[in-house]
Amino acid sequence: MSLREVVLCLALCVVLFALSLFLQRLWISWMRRLKIGQAIKKYGPAAHMKKAGTPNMGGVVALFVLPFAVACAAFVGLADFKDLAGLWLYPVLAAMVGLLDDGLKFRSNSSEGLRSLQKLLLQIVVTLPLAIWVAARGVSLLPGWELRALYAVPFLLFLGVGIQNAVNVTDGLDGLAGGAVAISLVAVLLLFRTNAVIVSAAVGLAILMAFLWHNANPAALFMGDVGAHLWGGFLISICVAADSLLLIFPIAFLFGIEMVTVTMQIVAIRRFGCKIFKMSPLHHHFELSGWGETKIVTRFWLAHTVGMAALLAIIFFAREGGV
């Protein structure tokens, strides 16, 4: 990017941060006025009961801000409108699944929305068109390392559905999921050079920073399933747009670990009748071990940063060495 483009991008991000901050404050006030808040799962940590009633669905604000952001970025010439809109299309569609889930929870005034199978099918429905389109045009695991069309569809279905659920299960502590996505987007800004990818990552980071302002412990706002699905879908969309699909593994390092612990716990309970962790996902295990919420979040952010850096180093060294 040229110096002019960098300055314009920074200016846009400042505007988006301020706008998002303002709209989230309005969203919090509106949710409180209507007495709509988070319903806490009865089988979750007892300490979370104090969070009942906290305004939720903070990801909705991003859905209002994104069209303005894309239009402004295209208007000032930071990137082509089609590239920006195409990059954000899948995350927005994924967010619609989360929005439906959140809506059902609020209508029933419980922590249960869509059934697991219903959510899975809807996630597949919104991900399948992306997978087919990518397979048809071709996608690279890394630049110069093409993924065969035969494997692209199932691989992208697995990644797309998996990352949506992984971000969702990670979103269990104040600031944890949002902060981890923000760290991932900083890595994206350092790794990629395509204007549409850089601008989109910067836009996402600005919106997330404003959300974290309200989501810091003790949270005044939760992102909800709509936010978790949006940012999970965005991480995949970024890697597809950058022709570096393999980089989803380091970029989504923490989310993958959290999802693996859930899978391990389910298998252990159903197959062997025992638990590996006190509670899954992993952050709840440490909660029940006596760690404070802020300590867990901070250490998980650090682990995400270190794990992401280590995996990136392994991938690039292997690539350079021809492995």
Side-chain angles (χ1 to χ4, degrees):
M1 296 181 76
S2 67
L3 179 59
R4 172 187 173 275
E5 290 172 329
V6 170
V7 172
L8 284 173
C9 189
L10 288 173
L12 176 61
C13 288
V14 171
V15 171
L16 294 177
F17 174 80
L19 177 61
S20 298
L21 207 62
F22 172 70
L23 291 178
Q24 283 162 2
R25 171 47 58 188
L26 290 182
W27 182 259
I28 291 170
S29 299
W30 184 69
M31 295 282 277
R32 285 176 176 168
R33 189 162 55 249
L34 295 180
K35 297 182 179 180
I36 299 175
Q38 177 73 22
I40 304 299
K41 295 178 180 180
K42 295 179 180 179
Y43 50 84
H48 285 209
M49 294 309 297
K50 64 183 179 182
K51 300 184 180 186
T54 301
N56 201 351
M57 296 171 63
V60 168
V61 172
L63 297 179
F64 285 107
V65 176
L66 282 173
F68 171 76
V70 169
C72 286
F75 179 75
V76 299
L78 287 174
D80 184 76
F81 177 81
K82 289 182 179 180
D83 292 338
L84 291 171
L87 201 153
W88 281 104
L89 177 60
Y90 174 65
V92 170
L93 289 175
M96 293 299 104
V97 177
L99 184 61
L100 176 60
D101 194 28
D102 285 331
L104 291 175
K105 290 175 184 177
F106 290 134
R107 191 176 71 174
S108 63
N109 192 30
S110 74
S111 61
E112 303 300 328
L114 290 166
R115 295 179 181 177
S116 297
L117 183 58
Q118 291 175 326
K119 183 184 287 188
L120 176 62
L121 289 174
L122 287 174
Q123 289 168 340
I124 291 173
V125 166
V126 300
T127 305
L128 187 58
L130 171 72
I132 293 174
W133 175 75
V134 168
R137 77 172 182 86
V139 67
S140 301
L141 292 172
L142 288 173
W145 188 1
E146 296 296 321
L147 177 63
R148 292 184 181 180
L150 177 64
Y151 307 119
V153 172
F155 190 49
L156 272 164
L157 276 176
F158 170 75
L159 292 179
V161 172
I163 191 62
Q164 290 177 52
N165 288 302
V167 176
N168 204 15
V169 301
T170 304
D171 184 33
L173 298 179
D174 298 348
L176 179 56
V181 174
I183 291 169
S184 297
L185 293 185
V186 171
V188 167
L189 290 173
L190 296 174
L191 287 169
F192 300 131
R193 294 293 177 265
T194 306
N195 272 27
V197 172
I198 293 174
V199 172
S200 294
V203 164
L205 190 58
I207 295 172
L208 269 172
M209 290 297 99
F211 168 73
L212 285 169
W213 183 279
H214 297 295
N215 189 235
N217 184 263
L221 178 68
F222 298 143
M223 70 165 60
D225 281 25
V226 57
H229 282 67
L230 173 73
W231 298 118
F234 183 53
L235 293 179
I236 279 289
S237 195
I238 281 281
C239 293
V240 169
D243 276 331
S244 299
L245 194 55
L246 194 62
L247 294 188
I248 189 60
F249 292 102
I251 287 173
F253 175 77
L254 177 63
F255 309 114
I257 295 297
E258 291 270 69
M259 196 66 195
V260 166
T261 62
V262 172
T263 304
M264 290 171 63
Q265 186 84 324
I266 292 173
V267 171
I269 291 173
R270 295 184 178 178
R271 181 68 178 85
F272 304 104
C274 64
K275 290 183 177 181
I276 299 175
F277 308 101
K278 294 179 180 179
M279 184 179 289
S280 66
L282 188 59
H283 58 262
H284 287 326
H285 171 81
F286 289 109
E287 268 194 291
L288 297 183
S289 298
W291 288 25
E293 185 166 347
T294 301
K295 178 181 285 188
I296 296 171
V297 171
T298 303
R299 288 181 173 177
F300 272 46
W301 285 353
L302 292 172
H304 180 47
T305 303
V306 173
M308 182 168 57
L311 285 181
L312 285 171
I314 291 170
I315 289 172
F316 283 118
F317 276 125
R319 186 64 179 159
E320 288 299 318
V323 177

